Structure formats: structure tokens, C-alpha cells
Amino acid sequence: MNNVAEALIIAGSDSGGGAGVQADIKTMQACGVYSTNVIVAITAQNTLGVQDSLNIPVSLINAQFSSIFADFNIKAAKTGMLADRVSLTCVVENIIKFKINRLVVDPVMVAKGGAKLLNDDAIVTLKKQLLPLALITTPNLPEAQVIVGHKISNQNDIMQAAKKIQAMGSKNVIIKGGHDDKKRVRDFVLLENQKQFFLESERIETNRTHGTGDTLSSAITSALAKGHSVEEAIRFGRKVVTKTIEFGIIVGHGHGPLNHWAAEEFRDEI
């Protein structure tokens, strides 16, 4: 029997299976990492959108954290949909309580179909309490704009936004460029040691990108759980996402999910 790296997912459930905890589990499985999870919210969701949601009581969020850390050896963790200020504050308290250091924060705010997944009053809490705990924060362009409080229009704006997010406490930042309209996708990375660079690839024309952010952050978390450096984890995560989009699958009638089976090709790289 083999010992495997163990990681924790802190996020909402997607009944359609393309994003949220389900995408996280699929990604970590493909990367050879055992995933545990704290469910913060449940959504009625498919590739067409989010139809309903229900937040998990704080007492049960606390119980999930206690149960996991009483048994598992968690090497890294990630957050996704955290729903509202009460849930987010509870999550922050548990991250501190259980000394989660290798934390990836995916600041999920809006679903692919446009539904809001983070209440306005929770955004301040995210910036003031969660970002200072993050080893890596992975906003897309719209999320980065909300965090820094202004429009991001060009390359210099992206670089300055990353610095502002880092100043809020996140040690490392990757701002994803998939939401712009350029022919090549450029993600900007700012590391704790101030090294900075762009990761670039050809844009794949498809609407099957539901769960892209979850998949990236989970692949990064998987690499961290296996002991890789931040830069290695980010580069690995981006490679996984590109592959899962490139070899898409036809599921659903809206914004379809990624092909997480494709990520298995890279399992031996981490």
C-alpha cells in the first residue's frame, strides 16, 4: 500500500459536477492526491446556471473541520465558494485554529453563468481576514477588480493589482487572464520573493470552461501537498488547466465542464 498526500477542499458543492467541490475532488484524484472536504454551501446547479443554494450551518462547518483534523494529515488546503460573511469568518477561524499554512485562496465571487456566489458584505472580510492567511491567491480579472476596487484595463494594471493583493497579505498571487478578449491567454504571477512573470498560451475557443478556477487552484494545491515549491505548483496547475480545456468533453447544454481525465497525464510530474 502507498502513502499518498492528503489535501483539504473548503468550498461549495456543485450538483452539476463541473465546478466547486466536485471539480476539486476530480482534479486532486487525477493528480494523485487524496482529497477531504469541508462543505460550506450546497447549490442546485448545472451547466446552464445556479438555480438555488443553501448555506451550511456554522456548527456543521466547525464539526467538519474538527472531524478532518482529528484523523487526516493535511498537507495543503484550498478555499472556493464561501457564500457569506458568517461562513467565511467561520472558515477563517478554523484555518487559524488548525494552523493551515499551505493555503490556496480561490476568491470565488461569480459563477460562470453569472450567479453571485459571495455576498457583498463578505468581500471586506475576505480582503481583511482571509487573504492574509493565503500562501497563494488565484483571482481572475473580474475578481481581481473587485478585490482592488478599480477597473483593470492593461498589462500594467494587472501587475499593479497583483502588488495590491500581495500588500493585503497574500504571499503569492496569480491573476488569471482568461476573461479578456485577446487571442493568447496571459496569467500574471507575482511571487513572495518579488519574482514576476507571465504564463502564456493560445486561447482555446470553447464554452466548456465551467470549473476552470476550481481546477487550477486544486491542481496547485495538489502540487503543494506533494511538497513542491510555489512556482512549481503554479506552473503545474496551469498546465493541467490547459490540458483539461484542450481535450474537452461534451456534457450539458450550457457552459460545459472541463475534462479532468486529461489531467492524469501529468500525475507523475508531481
Side-chain angles (χ1 to χ4, degrees), residues 208-223:
R208 303 192 178 278
T209 57
H210 184 49
T212 302
D214 305 290
T215 300
L216 174 67
S217 55
S218 291
I220 291 172
T221 304
S222 296

Side-chain angles (χ1 to χ4, degrees), residues 181-197:
D181 58 0
K182 296 179 175 61
K183 291 183 179 180
R184 294 186 67 81
V185 177
R186 304 186 80 210
D187 298 342
F188 178 69
V189 178
L190 176 63
L191 300 180
E192 184 177 12
N193 63 7
Q194 298 308 300
K195 180 179 179 180
Q196 51 188 301
F197 53 91

